[in-house]
Amino acid sequence: MSETNPFWRVGSAFRMDCRRPQLAQNQRMLLDRPTIRRFSLASETLFESPVIVTASPDWNAIAIYSLCWWDELLPRLWKLPKDSQNVRRFMSIFLGNALRFETDAPLDIPVNLASYAGFPDQGVFLAFDENYAEIWAESRLSFSGLDSRMD
C-alpha cells in the first residue's frame, strides 16, 4: 500500500463501540480504556502512561499519541513557519483539539472531536505502534476495503 492510503502501516485494527451515552448527539463520547488496552500489545503499551488525544490533521479521525512521543513532537511543531496559512490551519486542528488523559482517567472525548471524526456509534481502533494509534468512524473506512477484511 502507498503512503496516500492511511492503512499502509497498520499493525492491527479492531472494531470498538463508540456510542455516546444515551445516544444523544450533544453528549461526549466515552471510550473504554480497559477494552482498548486488551486489543494488542501496542495498545496496551500506549495506554500504560498518559496519552494525548487530538484531531488528525490529515483526515477526519482521532489521533492518540503517547505522552513521550508528543513531548518529542512539540518542539518540532513550534519551529514550523507561523506565517504559512497551511501551518496555521494544521496547528489549529492538531493542537487546538489536543487533550491529555492520565493513565487512570476515562477517555472522555468532547463533542467537537467526536463530530470532527464523524462518530455515530461504531469505530475502528488502528494500532500503529506503542506510541501512536487512530480511531476512525467505521463508515469512513469503507473506501479502503479494510471493513471487509475485519469480518
Side-chain angles (χ1 to χ4, degrees), residues 14-26:
F14 305 91
R15 277 198 171 97
M16 60 186 292
D17 185 7
C18 296
R19 289 187 202 138
R20 298 176 195 185
Q22 303 163 354
L23 296 177
Q25 291 301 314
N26 61 349

Side-chain angles (χ1 to χ4, degrees), residues 27-130:
Q27 294 286 329
R28 298 167 74 87
M29 184 173 73
L30 297 172
L31 301 177
D32 185 33
R33 184 188 288 257
T35 298
I36 295 171
R37 286 189 67 172
R38 288 191 297 269
F39 284 155
S40 69
L41 182 58
S43 62
E44 182 177 356
T45 304
L46 175 61
F47 287 102
E48 284 179 348
S49 61
V51 294
I52 303 297
V53 175
T54 190
S56 170
D58 299 315
W59 29 75
N60 293 67
I62 295 173
I64 303 171
Y65 296 90
S66 68
L67 185 59
C68 65
W69 196 90
W70 183 262
D71 287 343
E72 290 178 22
L73 178 64
L74 280 182
R76 292 184 285 173
L77 292 178
W78 294 127
K79 291 179 183 177
L80 294 173
K82 307 301 183 293
D83 57 344
S84 164
Q85 183 178 2
N86 289 336
V87 169
R88 287 193 311 274
R89 181 181 179 281
F90 167 83
M91 299 282 260
S92 176
I93 292 170
F94 192 67
L95 298 177
N97 288 292
L99 302 165
R100 178 180 170 148
F101 291 95
E102 296 302 323
T103 307
D104 57 348
L107 296 173
D108 188 7
I109 309 300
V111 174
N112 64 317
L113 191 50
S115 297
Y116 172 83
F119 279 98
D121 58 2
Q122 288 296 315
V124 177
F125 179 83
L126 303 173
F128 292 100
D129 58 37
E130 63 275 354

